[in-house]
Amino acid sequence: MNLSTSNSDQDNSNIGTPVQSRRVFMKITLAITLVMVTAMGLVRVLLDANGANQQGILGRVLQAKAALPNIIAEPNDLVMFYGSSMVRAGFSPRKFDRDLKNMGKNITSFNFGFGGLNPYYQDLLSRRIAEQFVTKNRQLKLALIEFNPFQATTTRWDRAQFTVDSYITMLANNDELWRILREDLTRGVHLYNIKYIRNHVSAEMITSYYAREIFPPYRRDVFQDNEKVTLERRKLGRELNTLFKKEYPNYQGEEWYYPWQGAGTIPEERAAHTLEVFDKYYAVTQTDAQMKNDRLSRIRTTDIEDMHFEPRLITSFINIVKNFQRFSNTVEVVMLPKNSRYITYSAAGKHRLAQAIQQIEQATGITIKNHQDISAVTPDMFRDTTHLSRYRGDIAYTDFLVKEYAKSL
């Protein structure tokens, strides 16, 4: 009996009382929580150090969004050109305004072109712009909206999947996130977790970010420049960087810079020597080999010639136009110049593009202006197969826009 009692007491002491068990459980839980919080903190510090945060990922977008109150407060009539990186490279608002001022028109225009934003993301951003303009009862005199065909393809959408959740948390408002939560609890909780716990950086984005760091995308440069051209390109690129720092000592690296109205520099404020260096730089940059490689890259990453359109991106683009129609006197939809020397649409691609244009026009009531092959812009004015070059293409296209819209402004 004594032996049995002794064994029973020993067993009870090993198990512990319920209070002791709860304390052990709480300590283990606390330790696990601390480890998880510390690990997440280290990840966030590491990501921030490498620019994988809101400002690093969507710096230009967020800087432009932050400028909206000042834009709305401008005394002149307002013009905004909204679109992709092709708008960013191709429209010079300060030249646009200067030329119109010489005609006696007081206009302040802004470049809202953003690289990496397909129409789904542009729709979210345009809602935020509309909210501020409508709240302040301010109208745009003219809204120019770019329809960029290769930004609306299924290939483009598929390649953007790792950014979707993060970008939604950065660009959607609370009502939109709450609506997602009500419609899909699992997805809603996931998005709130990304926004408030992960500082807007999803697990997919982290995985993709470090995958690119560890295994950089393979550059499929099928065509090669000779070594002399390559070395000269690097040398002139370094010289241009040095000249920029000399001529703009107060520039702090803003991606969307208010004094430049969201675009870049203009030739009138650059030294004659700098412009000469640019000419030399373009001569060794816009080579046939570079252009052919860029064309292959665009085909692979955007389906730029066959253009299989993603229905949700076409719907998103229609939403963009309707968002701007809420606060604009005039809305124009345009397709920017195309480097037709290197980019040629297939017959099927042309047919699909015509169908997409028809859908957009029917839904918005706006006829799209096709500027893809205007005579004012030649293939020599492109820095690659899609973007217009600084001081050449952007100036020529801006001149064209002045002539197109001066009367209506």
Side-chain angles (χ1 to χ4, degrees), residues 28 30 61 185 275 303 343 382:
I28 292 173
L30 180 60
V61 173
L185 180 62
L275 297 178
D303 190 23
I343 301 298
F382 287 80

Side-chain angles (χ1 to χ4, degrees), residues 47 89 99 206-207 325 356:
L47 291 170
D99 290 353
I206 293 173
T207 302
Q325 287 175 325

Side-chain angles (χ1 to χ4, degrees), residues 15-61:
I15 296 173
T17 65
V19 173
Q20 290 172 324
S21 297
R22 284 197 297 272
R23 287 176 179 171
V24 171
F25 176 76
M26 290 176 64
K27 288 179 180 179
I28 292 173
T29 302
L30 180 60
I32 293 173
T33 302
L34 288 173
V35 169
M36 291 177 63
V37 170
T38 301
M40 182 59 67
L42 289 173
V43 169
R44 287 179 63 166
V45 168
L46 201 57
L47 291 170
D48 284 342
N50 288 278
N53 51 41
Q54 282 196 82
Q55 284 298 331
I57 296 167
L58 287 181
R60 177 173 169 81
V61 173

Side-chain angles (χ1 to χ4, degrees), residues 70-88:
N70 291 331
I71 292 173
I72 291 171
E74 287 281 351
N76 292 336
D77 286 333
L78 297 175
V79 172
M80 182 180 291
F81 203 154
Y82 189 81
S84 71
S85 59
M86 287 175 60
V87 169
R88 179 180 181 178

Side-chain angles (χ1 to χ4, degrees), residues 17 85 202 211 317 330 373:
T17 65
S85 59
S202 67
F317 184 81
T330 302
D373 294 303

Side-chain angles (χ1 to χ4, degrees), residues 204-364:
E204 294 84 0
M205 185 171 282
I206 293 173
T207 302
S208 175
Y209 179 83
Y210 283 113
R212 290 198 305 272
E213 291 295 313
I214 299 171
F215 306 106
Y218 176 65
R219 286 184 58 85
R220 303 179 186 180
D221 288 343
V222 177
F223 304 94
Q224 301 291 334
D225 288 317
N226 62 53
E227 186 177 2
K228 180 180 178 181
V229 169
T230 301
L231 292 174
E232 184 69 7
R233 182 164 57 235
R234 293 172 184 168
K235 173 193 168 188
L236 292 170
R238 290 192 296 267
E239 184 175 357
L240 285 175
N241 286 334
T242 300
L243 289 170
F244 181 88
K245 292 176 182 178
K246 179 182 178 181
E247 294 175 12
Y248 300 97
N250 298 321
Y251 178 69
Q252 299 298 311
E254 294 91 343
E255 294 189 50
W256 195 96
Y257 191 41
Y258 201 99
W260 296 347
Q261 296 162 228
T265 56
I266 54 179
E268 289 83 355
E269 61 192 20
R270 304 306 299 266
H273 172 67
T274 302
L275 297 178
E276 291 174 2
V277 176
F278 262 102
D279 286 337
K280 295 177 183 178
Y281 178 71
Y282 284 136
V284 292
T285 300
Q286 299 165 309
T287 64
D288 189 57
Q290 293 297 306
M291 293 293 186
K292 287 179 177 178
N293 286 329
D294 190 67
R295 172 182 175 271
L296 293 176
S297 175
R298 286 295 180 185
I299 290 173
R300 184 179 72 253
T301 62
T302 71
D303 190 23
I304 194 171
E305 294 189 339
D306 288 330
M307 291 182 293
H308 296 82
F309 289 101
E310 172 60 40
R312 79 188 74 194
L313 293 183
I314 297 298
T315 299
S316 293
F317 184 81
I318 291 168
N319 292 340
I320 294 166
V321 177
K322 291 181 177 180
N323 291 335
F324 272 90
Q325 287 175 325
R326 294 174 57 198
F327 63 97
S328 304
N329 293 341
T330 302
V331 176
E332 293 276 291
V333 179
V334 303
M335 291 192 292
L336 268 67
K338 176 170 66 75
N339 191 340
S340 297
R341 179 181 295 168
Y342 291 95
I343 301 298
T344 303
Y345 297 150
S346 66
K350 288 181 181 179
H351 178 69
R352 283 187 280 267
L353 176 58
Q355 288 182 317
I357 289 173
Q358 183 180 38
Q359 181 182 348
I360 293 167
E361 291 180 340
Q362 288 179 346
T364 63

